[in-house]
């Protein structure tokens, strides 16, 4: 499909790691200790049993590629809408891939002109045939600008969720500015 579908996953992973930093264990962060943005729970589920301060960079990169790019299906989204796939990857890292997929599904459902362009789908947080068919139909009906509109919709849902998290748990206010500032990069 040419240049349009090329996403440099290694660059996306490097950007996340640069933004997340090396080791952190912020007392207000419910995720606990992290290294390169990988939480201890994710590292342990991946079979890592060492100290979080020593989680190897290559292991963190592999976790990002497998759990936050390939498994959620962003590679399949990337062949259709690469900028959207990059944002979904980033959203999935911050909020979980199922949340990111749910944002895409909600946006596609709301943008189908009352089901006239394609049917609504279940918002199940998984990128499967129905989501990909809806994305294909949306892009076919809306053209190249459609990807930008979907990107804005996903970012709007993400921003709303960050604000809600800070409102519901004041300790999250320590992170809100950074969460929103990350959206500018």
């Amino acid at each position: 499909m040419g240049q349009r579908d090329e996403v440099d996953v290694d660059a996306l992973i490097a950007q996340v790691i640069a933004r997340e930093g090396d080791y952190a264990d912020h007392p207000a962060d419910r995720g606990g200790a992290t290294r390169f943005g990988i939480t201890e729970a994710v590292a342990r589920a991946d079979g890592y049993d060492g100290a979080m301060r020593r989680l190897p960079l290559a292991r963190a990169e592999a976790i990002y590629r497998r759990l936050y790019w390939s498994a959620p299906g962003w590679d399949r989204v990337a062949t259709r809408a690469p900028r959207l796939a990059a944002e979904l990857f980033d959203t999935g890292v911050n909020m979980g891939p199922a949340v990111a997929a749910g944002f895409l599904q909600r946006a596609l459902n709301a943008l189908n002109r009352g089901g006239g362009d394609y049917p609504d789908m279940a918002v199940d947080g998984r990128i499967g045939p129905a989501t990909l068919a809806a994305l294909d139909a949306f892009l076919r009906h809306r053209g190249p600008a459609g990807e930008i509109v979907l990107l804005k919709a996903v970012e709007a849902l993400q921003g709303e969720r960050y604000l809600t998290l800070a409102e519901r748990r004041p300790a999250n206010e320590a992170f809100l500015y950074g969460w929103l500032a990350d959206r500018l990069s």
Side-chain angles (χ1 to χ4, degrees):
M1 297 180 77
Q3 250 184 356
R4 177 167 162 68
D5 58 65
E6 293 181 17
V7 175
D8 186 347
V9 180
D10 292 330
L12 292 177
I13 292 169
Q15 289 168 7
V16 166
I17 289 172
R19 191 169 54 245
E20 294 289 341
D22 194 316
Y23 177 81
D25 193 5
H26 193 287
D29 187 349
R30 288 183 170 171
T34 66
R35 183 151 194 222
F36 308 121
I38 300 296
T39 66
E40 187 169 5
V42 168
R44 300 290 180 243
D46 190 61
Y48 180 71
D49 61 1
M52 282 305 292
R53 288 184 185 275
R54 291 195 288 278
L55 178 74
L57 176 60
R59 182 123 190 203
E61 291 168 336
I63 289 170
Y64 279 122
R65 179 178 291 279
R66 188 177 62 260
L67 298 182
Y68 296 94
W69 180 257
S70 298
W74 307 143
D75 52 341
R76 293 178 288 157
V77 172
T79 63
R80 297 155 166 87
R83 290 174 288 197
L84 178 63
E87 180 61 30
L88 292 168
F89 167 76
D90 188 63
T91 302
V93 166
N94 291 322
M95 299 182 177
V99 171
F103 287 170
L104 174 60
Q105 292 167 331
R106 288 178 59 199
L108 285 167
N109 283 346
L111 289 165
N112 69 1
R113 293 189 269 202
D117 291 342
Y118 49 88
D120 280 345
M121 74 193 88
V123 178
D124 62 6
R126 294 179 297 185
I127 301 300
T131 304
L132 294 173
L135 178 58
D136 288 340
F138 176 80
L139 294 172
R140 187 172 54 254
H141 285 284
R142 297 299 189 161
E147 181 177 6
I148 300 303
V149 170
L150 276 176
L151 186 60
K152 286 181 178 183
V154 166
E155 289 172 341
L157 290 165
Q158 184 182 45
E160 190 281 329
R161 181 174 169 115
Y162 284 140
L163 288 170
T164 299
L165 289 171
E167 290 169 344
R168 288 185 182 160
R169 182 174 179 257
N172 283 336
E173 289 182 13
F175 309 112
L176 181 60
Y177 185 89
W179 289 337
L180 295 171
D182 282 348
R183 308 294 52 88
L184 300 174
S185 56

